[in-house]
Structures are given as structure tokens and as C-alpha cells.
Amino acid sequence: MSRTSFVGLCLLPLLITVGLFFVLPVFQLLIVGANSPSGLSAYSAIVTEPRYRQSLIATLVLSVATTLVTVAVATIAGLFLQRNVFPGRAILISILTLPLAFPGVVVGFMIIILGGRQGIVGDLSRAMTGQKVIFAYSIAGLFLGYLYFSIPRVILTIMASIEKLDPQLEEAARSLGAGTWAVHRDVVLPALVPAFIASGAICFATAMGAFGTAFTLAARIDVLAMVIYTEFTLNANIAMAASLSVGLGLITWIALALARSLAGSSVAAAG
Amino acid sequence: MSRTSFVGLCLLPLLITVGLFFVLPVFQLLIVGANSPSGLSAYSAIVTEPRYRQSLIATLVLSVATTLVTVAVATIAGLFLQRNVFPGRAILISILTLPLAFPGVVVGFMIIILGGRQGIVGDLSRAMTGQKVIFAYSIAGLFLGYLYFSIPRVILTIMASIEKLDPQLEEAARSLGAGTWAVHRDVVLPALVPAFIASGAICFATAMGAFGTAFTLAARIDVLAMVIYTEFTLNANIAMAASLSVGLGLITWIALALARSLAGSSVAAAG
Amino acid sequence: MKKHVEGAAIRLENCSKTYGSSARALEPVTLNIARGETVVLLGPSGCGKTTTLRMIAGLVAPDKGGRILFDDQDVTDQPIEKRNVGMVFQSYALFPNMTVAENVGYGLKIRGVPRADVKIRVNEMLAMAGLETFANRSIDQLSGGQRQRVALARAVAARPRVLLLDEPLTALDAALRERLRTDLDRLLRSLGITAIYVTHDQQEAMALGDRIVVMSNGSIAQIGRPNEIYFQPANRFVAEFVGAANIVEASLKDGFLELPGGRVQVGSEASSRREAIAMVRPEAISVVPPEQSSWIGRVESTSFLGDRVRISVGEAASTPIIIDAPNSLSVEIGDRVGLVIPPSSVRLLPA
Amino acid sequence: MKKHVEGAAIRLENCSKTYGSSARALEPVTLNIARGETVVLLGPSGCGKTTTLRMIAGLVAPDKGGRILFDDQDVTDQPIEKRNVGMVFQSYALFPNMTVAENVGYGLKIRGVPRADVKIRVNEMLAMAGLETFANRSIDQLSGGQRQRVALARAVAARPRVLLLDEPLTALDAALRERLRTDLDRLLRSLGITAIYVTHDQQEAMALGDRIVVMSNGSIAQIGRPNEIYFQPANRFVAEFVGAANIVEASLKDGFLELPGGRVQVGSEASSRREAIAMVRPEAISVVPPEQSSWIGRVESTSFLGDRVRISVGEAASTPIIIDAPNSLSVEIGDRVGLVIPPSSVRLLPA
């Protein structure tokens, strides 16, 4: 059997599987979205209907903010942890990665324990200032929850990138007269850009689709994943749910595709 | 300022942040779990109460099955895609990674569109066999949904590992008389073991905590994340929710820690 | 059982290689390698030497019309795993999931040799490589030199008909490379196996090869014993690639090269030509006081290299002449010196 | 502006280095380097040569009590960015996010030199490195040799007081290494800069160094000009590390070494000793018919290396004697040969 025909033979079942399993659901989603009583209006409703538009904007803002803050925090912490050896460093790193073990629902639950109506932050603040601070059900709680599960992933990716940096690059820059700040601006941070893009894109995609945390918090802001759930399950507005899903998928897919074209295939593998 | 005191100065805010942000919630979770009216019974209930035990077992079985099938499928597809060049290969790979753009809720939604009461698989099967096949609400639907979002991540990690394999290892084995099957058994698969462990652990952790898909499917089986949500939100049994969260976190954390000690730090970065 | 079987004779007939639609990587090559001979394929990167080796291995198929024979048996369509060859790679290519002993025994295990016999043979091989105490080590506990010894032991353990070595010493540092080269030379001679050795290092080629095949741009530039290649290079490329060479373009009159610094006598071979491209090796030139020679120049630089002094002399020819003089010689920059070359050491190259 | 300022004189005083609680990486070293001199630190890996270089650079601080002076100015506590040194690394260490021109101009930009002046100087440097047409290329479009030229241009662009080179040629292949070594030699001489060059390659050390500092196990084994190091090694380590050496242990009687193959006359220096460790360089030994010498041996192996033939002769001493003979010599394995050494070429080493 020639090599070409062998490849063809393998390709056929692969194509069928991909078709059935990966293309069909998305395709069906597109069709369902377009099959609303008023035609394609379900798609246009994403931007025309204030409720959907606000949810889209809120989700985007929240995801972008989470991504930016996560990458910034993770870079500082990653640089510090990778560059300094001190007692307890290994323990600190393993504590930082603890949130990897918890699903979104539990993260939401933790936020309520911290900042909910009976939360310990509220108790502490009342004891200290007389004012009871409750942040769990606001956008602040959601944001904290997102940070909580985003930071560990991004820290680890960035630490791996820092480890791979050639220390002689920094030594060369210093020999040329660059101080600490210039070395970081001109050498270290530029070298980490692919890691920022890769881990940032994954962070953004995760935040865009996060559901468990938002649902548990029953937050006052509706993130897109919750709106989709509500439309589908409670309102039985399947066309709207489908078109919102397509919109959400499209935005995330564009973000991932952009990141991949900028930072190479590491994006996907980091996910 | 000496180097040591600078490190100390940076370390302090880091330790405080880690303490407040990473340790406190988990610690509080532990305490809430132990604070049930009947003391530590909430923890023992995880195994003694049939409902919780069954949920734990179902979640574990589902997660392990998802991991095994995902790694197997991803390895075969990854080997094929990495080794063969054919027209449309790039498009096929990008289709395979499409699910990365969809959150769990949408995946659940897709499963219903496919295999639900009005699903196209049901329509097709009734047209062909007279029998209407519905799988969305059973464990099969959940399993398919999990595979749908697990396969892309694992495929990409494994493809990256295959790309890094030294082709001369295989040539050396062949020169020593090894045929295709022996080369894969003795050289290729052993070299991929770290990638299997790393991506498998992440796959397992994700499956253990998956919530959106299960919730959207409103499946007949209760996965752990759903039980936690139900106990917390509907039954207001906060101690039980906390102890289940701790149990879930512990299992996932052990899996990740084991994988990390076997396959090195790549585990975390792949997450 | 101790004495190694002799290797196969190899014949490449008209073997060329074209990858995809691009230009030919290898022009049609015909090459005979005798049983037990060590042939070195020497050339710069991209010259086709590795493609040739991989063809003999069975990793690359020749274009239509090419044939590869092992002892008159056509193996062109046989995959590598059926050809019974041993291969050694620059990257060592040891299996990281196996111990040293498992690596060495892999070829025997795959052939279904009983476990006890594998063990005996592996111990024999490890003793030969001087690695008896390393049997149960894992690969990443070995140094580069040890790894390449293991790779060599693995390649010859199953008594292949041909041993193929693809730049096996390139990844090692200079001192280790020289030591391993000596060991390798002894091993190849004691095994009596047919060996084909690819390298870009002319020192390695000369030290190891019974014959050297110098390749350039996908075709063979010269085939010959090391001293033939060195003293009688077929063309300018071979002269410059193998060893250091002074290449002088000058007019030829009455058997003398006419140069800016004087006249240099040429051997009998080339009295008919008018213009010549002459090649002289740096160690063939002697430095004498200017009055003792008809060819004069001025010292431009000197560089003490330990075993010799490398001198660059200007004004003698249109380009500086490089001389490797004995390390006892003492000249200063700016000195006028006479240069003497035995006529037999001047080699005229084709234009 | 075109002429380079002269470099600084450097003095290391009692500089040792201990990492953590482990053994000393560097024993106390005192070393004077003259203005404009090229000093090579030569030794095997782990000998302390790189630590010494990094101390001069300011990347490693000496243990308490050590001082580093540039032109009598104490720079011990100055960080590298204040010392005005240029560094060249084995890994090139070029900034991948900058073009060739941006790399070369980085040191000037950081010093706040006006943009127009940076451009002029960068073009000057690129011309010097023969890379004018590469100014706007990105680093990954360059070959290894081109990268190291850019790194060199970058290191000298801001006119450093000292140029520090850490095995700059090790990553390149042999032919390129030799070419770049020649260019580097010319550059260092034309700049007149103080240069410190770390290498494990003795050929490089001899070709480039005004003086060589041979290091071993964290301390200095010998300091001297290349020919001093080669002809008068201070001890066995230097003799074997720098160039090839035959080391012979024998009893000494009436100014002759008593060897299994006969007697070898020793220079006047060591008539008082009874037992000697003698060193002879391979190229110092001549091969003659056996009747013309009082020291006889039997050829064990010969290896044609192009510019010379390396012969191993047994029975002459307790270990085989290695001889680098002219490439015209023709001997066969098993031949009895006489060996002749000028008495001045026999160097007695301390026991």
C-alpha cells in the first residue's frame, strides 16, 4: 500500500469525526440562531437590545480588566519568584497555584464566604470601622473571583518563560550601561511579550466563558454565559441563546486566533 | 540598600497578598466545613451519605473516563496531524481547536441541539430507524460535552510534544530493526509520557470542576460541582457545600501535585 | 562468535535525489565501497553527503533509476529496518527511557535474541566501549563522550553489515573529539566492518578514511586516499576545503611561475600551459634569508601557534602567502625573507 | 574621534571567590594587566577563568579583602553598568527584539548620545564588522559568525575601557572559528583596547594572547607569553593542556634520560637530579634510520593528517611516544626507527 493511500485511509475517518463532532454542532448553532421567528433578528438583537448589549459590554470589560490585571500581577510576582531564592519559596509557589484545584462554583462560594452578607471581611470591617463591607455580589466580587482563578495559570506560564530567558541578555545590557529599569524595559519585558499574549489570550477566553462563579454569586451583573443560560433554560428563547453563543464564540475565537498569529502555537498549548 | 533587605521588602507585601487572597479563602472554607451543627460530620457525610458518595463516584468516573479517552483520541489525532502533510491540514487543526472558544454553557447547549428532545441526531435516527435517539440528558451527553472541550487542549499539548521529539530517535530505532509498531511502543509513546501526564492532569482537573455543561444539560446525574451549588444556594447547607468543596479541591490538588512531581513543571504551565 | 562478521560491499548506481519540485539535492552518484572499507563523505553543509548516507541507510529513496546494492543484492526498495545497518548520529539519539544496557541491547531484543544471549553480547559491547560500570545508568547521567560510546556500542551490537556514522563527533569539544577519533579508528579497524562516515571536518576525514569522497554542491568532487586528496587535489574547491592552501594565479614561462616577488619553479607536469592556477600548502614553503632565494617577500604578520609559527608574507604574490614554519623560526613583521618551495610541491589546478 | 581611546590598566588584588558554603571557586588571585594588552585566561571548565572574567566585569563580587582596580581607581563596589566595559558572550546575547543597528547602538542610546551621533558611530562599527548591508536585519536572519560580529561591534561601539570576551568563538564551527579569530586579532591590535579573553582552546589562546594566564582548579598555574607557556611549561598540567606533549618518567644519569629504547640527552639545566619527569613536544622529535640514533623504537600506528603525519612509536619509553613528522615521511607499522631530539627540546618538569 503506498504512503499516499494510507494517509487517505486515515484521513477519511478523521474528517468524518471532525465533521460530526466539531463542525456539526457549531453549524447547527448558527442555523438555530438564524431560525428565530423574525429571521436573522436574533443576531442583530445582540447589539440592538439594551439588555444583551450591556451584558456583552460588561463581559468584555470584565474579561479585559481581568486579563490586564492578571498579567501585570503575574509578571511582577513571577519575576520576583523566579529571581530570588529564599526559604519557603517552593511552598509559596504551591500556595499560589492552589486555585487551580477549585472549580468556578467553589471560587464563587469562597468569594461569598469572604465578602458576602455573613462574610469575614464584612465582620472585620464592622469591628474596625463600623461600616460593613460587602463586595461579593457586585462586579468587584466577580472580578476578584476571576483574578483568583486566572493568576495561578498566568503566573506559571510567565515563570516558565522567565526561566527560559538567557541571563546573558541582561548581563549584556548591563555591560552596555543599562540600569535595572532599562534592562527590564528593553530586554526582559520584550522577551516576555509572547508569554503575555499567549497567557493573556487564554485568560481572556476563560473569563469570557466563566459561568460557575457568576452563577454562584448570583451577581447583579449578567455575564454573557449567564444570559445564554437564562435565555435557553428559563425563557426557552433558543434562537437568542444560539446567536449569543455564536457571538461569544466568535469574539473568543478571534482573540485566540490573533494571539496565535502573534505569539505562535504556544497559545493553544498554554490553554 | 543591600540585596537581602530589598528582597525582604518585596517579600512582605507578597506574603500579605498571598495570605489574604490565596490562603484565607481556603482556610475559611475548611472552617466553614467543620462548623456544621454536628461538628466534623459534614466531612464524613461525603462518604457516608449515599447522595454525596454517588455524586463523588460519578464525577470521578466521568473525569477519569474523559481523561483516558481524550488522551487516547488526542494522541492518535496528534500523531497523524503532526506526521502528515496534506492539503487542508491547517484548516483541520483550526477546526479541532474551535471548542476552545466556547464556554461550558454553550457546549451543553450544543449537546442539547445535537442529542436533545428536538435534536438533529434524534430526527435523523427516527428517519432512518424509526427509533428516536436522545442522549443529551444522560451521562453520555455529559461525557460527549466533556470530550468536546477537553480534546482540543490535549491535542495541542501533545502535538507540541510530538513536534519536539528528535526524529533521529525513531531513525535509530528503525536502523536497529524496529518496525513501525515497535518504534511507537518503545520510542514515541514513552517520550510522550510527560505530555500525557501533564495534559491528562489538567483534563482531569477541568472535568472534576466542570459546571456549566452539566448545569445546562440539567442531566440526571449530579456532578460534584452541581451538588455544591445546590447545597449552597438552594438548600443553604453551607457546611456541606464547604466540605464538598474541600473534598473536590483536595482530589484535584492531589492529581495535579502527583502529575507535577512525575512530569515536572510543564503540568502547571499547560493549564 | 567473538570475531565480527565482515561487512557488505556497497554499490550506489546512478543515485540522485530531488526533493519536491526544488532543485536536485544530489546529482546522479555512482560509488563502490569495498567490503570492510572505511569511506568518509566529506564536504560543507548542503553538499549532499548526508543525503548520500541516508540513501545507503534506507531513510531516503533515490530518484527513479537509482539502485543501491549490498553485496550485489538490490536493497533499493528495502526499508531501513530490513537492511541490517548500524547508525550513529551527531545527536547520539539514545533512548532516554532505557538504561545504557537496554539501549545497547535494543537491536538484539527486537531481533528476538534470547535474553541471556543479549546480556552476554551487551556486556561484551560495554567492555569494548569501556563502559562496564555504566550498564544500569540512565542516559542523562552520561557525558557527551560517554553517550557517543554507548551509541556506537548500540550500533554494532547486532553485527550490522554496514556502519553509518553521521558527524558522530561534531557535538563534542576539541580534546574529547580527538580522543574519541582515535578510539573510533581502532574500533573500525578491529571490527573490519564496512563503514561510511559523514563529516565536514577534514582532519577527521584524513585520520579515519581509507578513502575520502569529497562532495560539493550535490556531486562528487574527488575520490581518493587521504594523501591523494591532500597532495593532488582535483580542483580549487578540494584544495581549499581539505587543509590550508595558498592559491596563486600567475603566468607560466619555461616551467616557472612569474610572480611579483620572483620566480617559482613548477614540477614537470605543466610545461604546455601559459596561465596557471597553482596551489602550495603552507607547510611546504621554507623561509630562508632573502639572498638564498629567487622569490622574495615581506613578513606581514606572525602568529605563534605552539607546534608551528604561521607567517603571512606579502609582496611575494598578488595575495599574501601563508606559511607554517617550524616553531623555532624567529622573524619579525617587516622582515624581508626568501621563500623556497620544492618544485614537486607546486600543484597546478585546472582553470 | 576615529582613533580609539586606549583602554585601562587592570589590577586584581587578592581576589578570591567562595559561593555559599561550598569550596572556593577561585583561590586568591593577584594579576596585573597592562593598558592595551590582550590577556587570555586559559583552562579547562571549572578552573575559575570565567569567575575571574566576571569579577573584572562586575558581575561577581570578590570575597572580602579582594580589590579590583581600573587605572588605580578602585571599582570593586561599582556595578557592571558603571564600569564602562564591553562584553562578548559565547551565546552572542544579542537582543532579539532589536535590529542589528539597534543592537550596536544600544550602549550609546543608554548613555544619552544624540540620535544622529549614534547613527554615525553605528555605521562606523558596522563597516568595521563588514556588516554595512545588515543594519536593518533582525537578529534571527544572521548566521552564527555574523551574530558574533554584531556582538563585537556592539561591545566596542561605546568605547569601553576594557573588552571582556567569554569564549566568543566556541559556538562556531572550525573553519569559521579560524577566520573570526584572525579578524578578532586584527581588531584588538587596531583598537589598542585592553582585552581579556576567556577560552579553553589553547590554539586560540596562543594566537590571540600577548600573555596567557593558564588556570587550573581555581588558581593560576602559569602566566607568560605564548612561547614561554609552550616551551617552558611550569608543570605537567600546563605541559599537557597547552599543545600535545610526551611526558616521560625516567631515571637521569650523567645528563641522559635512561629509557627502554636507549638514552636521550637532556639540556644542561638538570644535572643534579636522579629521577626526572621530562616533556617533549611531538614536533620536536625527528624520525631517522635506527642506526643513526641511540634511541630506538617500533612504529605502532601512523595517521596521515595532511600537513603532518602523526606516528606513535612503542618500545622507546614506558608509554608510546607521539611524533608529528613532516607529511613527506613514509614509515610502516612495525618498522624499527631511530628517534632524535635536540637536548634543548627536552624540558624537565617539577615532580
Side-chain angles (χ1 to χ4, degrees), chain C:
Chain C
M1 171 115 183
K2 279 259 175 164
K3 184 67 191 163
H4 214 287
V5 291
E6 260 188 25
I10 296 168
R11 183 173 162 75
L12 296 187
E13 273 181 21
N14 202 31
C15 287
S16 63
K17 184 65 196 177
T18 317
Y19 289 106
S21 56
S22 55
R24 258 191 193 158
L26 190 67
E27 299 294 325
V29 158
T30 294
L31 181 64
N32 282 301
I33 297 167
R35 198 173 281 199
E37 192 182 19
T38 299
V39 165
V40 177
L41 306 179
L42 173 68
S45 62
C47 72
K49 58 189 193 297
T50 298
T51 301
T52 309
L53 185 86
R54 292 170 69 82
M55 258 180 201
I56 299 170
L59 290 166
V60 164
D63 292 344
K64 233 187 169 82
R67 293 214 309 159
I68 298 160
L69 296 107
F70 282 15
D71 277 341
D72 300 324
Q73 177 204 352
D74 189 329
V75 297
T76 316
D77 295 325
Q78 249 181 14
I80 178 169
E81 56 264 35
K82 304 275 182 228
R83 286 196 192 182
N84 195 11
V85 297
M87 279 196 91
V88 178
F89 299 88
Q90 182 181 337
S91 67
Y92 319 128
L94 295 175
F95 308 129
N97 51 313
M98 303 184 197
T99 64
V100 168
E102 285 167 351
N103 264 282
V104 174
Y106 184 75
L108 299 161
K109 205 186 104 192
I110 276 289
R111 282 171 173 78
V113 173
R115 200 178 277 217
D117 295 352
V118 171
K119 203 172 168 195
I120 292 168
R121 179 70 179 161
V122 165
N123 287 337
E124 224 175 280
M125 290 292 103
L126 290 176
M128 176 204 81
L131 291 167
E132 297 96 326
T133 57
F134 291 80
N136 297 313
R137 295 272 186 101
S138 81
I139 299 307
D140 50 17
Q141 291 173 284
L142 304 182
S143 70
Q146 289 164 344
R147 284 178 202 213
Q148 203 53 295
R149 280 170 205 272
V150 175
L152 202 59
R154 181 180 69 176
V156 298
R159 298 188 174 77
R161 292 193 285 176
V162 186
L163 183 60
L164 304 166
L165 305 109
D166 191 1
E167 307 232 8
L169 305 181
T170 302
L172 305 172
D173 71 29
L176 199 58
R177 192 154 58 227
E178 197 155 325
R179 189 142 21 104
L180 226 69
R181 188 178 78 192
T182 313
D183 293 353
L184 196 57
D185 194 27
R186 198 167 29 231
L187 179 75
L188 292 179
R189 314 234 160 265
S190 74
L191 290 179
I193 195 174
T194 310
I196 296 155
Y197 190 104
V198 162
T199 184
H200 66 270
D201 179 331
Q202 44 103 3
Q203 288 262 354
E204 245 171 72
M206 284 195 282
L208 290 171
D210 293 322
R211 282 192 301 156
I212 297 174
V213 178
V214 185
M215 298 187 71
S216 163
N217 283 327
S219 54
I220 293 176
Q222 189 172 3
I223 305 181
R225 279 177 287 117
N227 57 351
E228 287 170 2
I229 301 275
Y230 188 78
F231 291 123
Q232 295 148 39
N235 55 41
R236 186 166 180 161
F237 170 79
V238 176
E240 295 194 298
F241 192 78
V242 181
N246 291 294
I247 307 281
V248 173
E249 298 187 34
S251 59
L252 194 62
K253 201 171 157 190
D254 304 332
F256 283 84
L257 291 170
E258 309 249 314
L259 291 165
R263 283 154 49 97
V264 174
Q265 197 184 346
V266 174
S268 56
E269 46 174 326
S271 48
S272 61
R273 283 205 258 163
R274 286 305 196 73
E275 292 293 317
I277 299 175
M279 187 278 294
V280 183
R281 296 289 178 193
E283 73 279 2
I285 308 174
S286 309
V287 176
V288 296
E291 59 277 11
Q292 291 177 21
S293 172
S294 59
W295 190 29
I296 312 292
R298 195 175 291 281
V299 175
E300 284 185 343
S301 72
T302 72
S303 179
F304 179 80
L305 298 178
D307 57 349
R308 63 210 140 98
V309 179
R310 177 157 287 193
I311 301 166
S312 172
V313 172
E315 303 175 13
S318 51
T319 52
I321 298 290
I322 303 297
I323 301 159
D324 281 348
N327 55 20
S328 53
L329 185 82
S330 164
V331 292
E332 297 293 322
I333 293 173
D335 284 359
R336 281 184 79 230
V337 291
L339 305 179
V340 173
I341 312 172
S344 63
S345 293
V346 182
R347 165 95 186 159
L348 297 187
L349 300 174

Side-chain angles (χ1 to χ4, degrees), chain A residues 166 168-169 171-180 182-183 185-187 190, chain D residues 54 59 79-81 85 87 89 91 93-95 97-98 106-107 110-111 154:
Chain A
D166 180 1
Q168 302 199 320
L169 279 181
E171 294 177 358
R174 291 182 63 200
S175 77
L176 294 166
T180 308
V183 168
R185 181 194 59 204
D186 297 333
V187 176
Chain D
R54 291 169 70 83
L59 290 167
I80 179 169
E81 56 265 35
V85 297
M87 279 196 90
F89 300 88
S91 66
L94 295 174
F95 308 130
N97 50 314
M98 302 182 197
Y106 184 74
I110 276 289
R111 281 172 174 77
R154 181 180 69 177

Side-chain angles (χ1 to χ4, degrees), chain D residues 77-92:
Chain D
D77 295 325
Q78 251 182 14
I80 179 169
E81 56 265 35
K82 304 276 184 228
R83 288 197 191 181
N84 195 11
V85 297
M87 279 196 90
V88 179
F89 300 88
Q90 182 180 339
S91 66
Y92 319 129

Side-chain angles (χ1 to χ4, degrees), chain D residues 18-332:
Chain D
T18 317
Y19 289 105
S21 57
S22 54
R24 260 193 191 157
L26 191 67
E27 300 295 325
V29 158
T30 295
L31 182 64
N32 282 302
I33 297 167
R35 198 174 281 200
E37 192 183 21
T38 299
V39 165
V40 176
L41 306 179
L42 173 68
S45 60
C47 72
K49 57 188 193 298
T50 298
T51 301
T52 308
L53 185 86
R54 291 169 70 83
M55 259 180 201
I56 299 170
L59 290 167
V60 165
D63 292 345
K64 233 185 169 78
R67 294 213 307 158
I68 297 160
L69 296 106
F70 282 17
D71 277 340
D72 299 325
Q73 176 204 352
D74 189 330
V75 298
T76 316
D77 295 325
Q78 251 182 14
I80 179 169
E81 56 265 35
K82 304 276 184 228
R83 288 197 191 181
N84 195 11
V85 297
M87 279 196 90
V88 179
F89 300 88
Q90 182 180 339
S91 66
Y92 319 129
L94 295 174
F95 308 130
N97 50 314
M98 302 182 197
T99 64
V100 167
E102 285 166 353
N103 265 282
V104 173
Y106 184 74
L108 299 162
K109 204 185 103 192
I110 276 289
R111 281 172 174 77
V113 174
R115 200 179 277 217
D117 295 352
V118 171
K119 202 172 170 195
I120 292 167
R121 178 72 178 159
V122 166
N123 286 337
E124 223 176 280
M125 289 293 102
L126 289 176
M128 175 204 81
L131 291 167
E132 295 95 327
T133 55
F134 291 81
N136 297 312
R137 294 273 185 100
S138 82
I139 299 307
D140 51 15
Q141 291 173 286
L142 304 182
S143 70
Q146 290 164 345
R147 285 178 201 211
Q148 203 53 295
R149 281 170 204 271
V150 174
L152 202 58
R154 181 180 69 177
V156 298
R159 298 188 174 78
R161 291 194 286 176
V162 185
L163 183 61
L164 303 166
L165 304 109
D166 190 3
E167 307 232 9
L169 306 181
T170 302
L172 304 171
D173 72 31
L176 198 57
R177 193 154 57 227
E178 198 156 325
R179 189 142 21 104
L180 226 68
R181 189 178 76 193
T182 314
D183 293 354
L184 196 55
D185 194 26
R186 200 167 27 231
L187 178 75
L188 292 179
R189 313 234 160 266
S190 73
L191 290 180
I193 195 175
T194 308
I196 296 155
Y197 190 103
V198 162
T199 184
H200 66 269
D201 179 331
Q202 43 104 5
Q203 288 261 356
E204 248 172 67
M206 285 195 279
L208 290 171
D210 292 323
R211 282 191 301 156
I212 297 174
V213 178
V214 185
M215 299 187 71
S216 163
N217 284 325
S219 53
I220 294 176
Q222 188 173 3
I223 305 181
R225 280 177 286 115
N227 58 349
E228 287 169 4
I229 301 275
Y230 189 77
F231 290 124
Q232 295 147 39
N235 56 40
R236 187 170 179 158
F237 169 79
V238 176
E240 295 193 298
F241 192 78
V242 180
N246 292 294
I247 307 281
V248 174
E249 299 186 33
S251 57
L252 195 63
K253 203 172 154 189
D254 304 332
F256 282 85
L257 291 170
E258 308 249 313
L259 292 164
R263 282 154 50 97
V264 174
Q265 199 185 343
V266 174
S268 55
E269 48 173 323
S271 48
S272 62
R273 283 205 257 163
R274 287 304 197 74
E275 292 292 319
I277 301 175
M279 188 277 296
V280 183
R281 298 289 179 193
E283 73 278 5
I285 308 174
S286 310
V287 177
V288 297
E291 56 278 11
Q292 290 176 23
S293 172
S294 60
W295 190 29
I296 312 291
R298 195 176 290 281
V299 175
E300 284 186 344
S301 71
T302 72
S303 181
F304 179 80
L305 297 178
D307 56 351
R308 61 210 141 97
V309 179
R310 176 156 286 192
I311 301 165
S312 171
V313 173
E315 302 175 15
S318 52
T319 51
I321 298 290
I322 304 296
I323 300 158
D324 280 348
N327 56 20
S328 53
L329 185 83
S330 164
V331 292
E332 297 293 322

Side-chain angles (χ1 to χ4, degrees), chain B residues 158-179:
Chain B
I158 288 181
M159 276 176 71
S161 275
I162 295 170
E163 202 176 1
K164 277 185 222 134
L165 277 186
D166 179 2
Q168 300 199 321
L169 278 181
E170 290 172 59
E171 293 176 358
R174 291 181 63 200
S175 77
L176 293 165

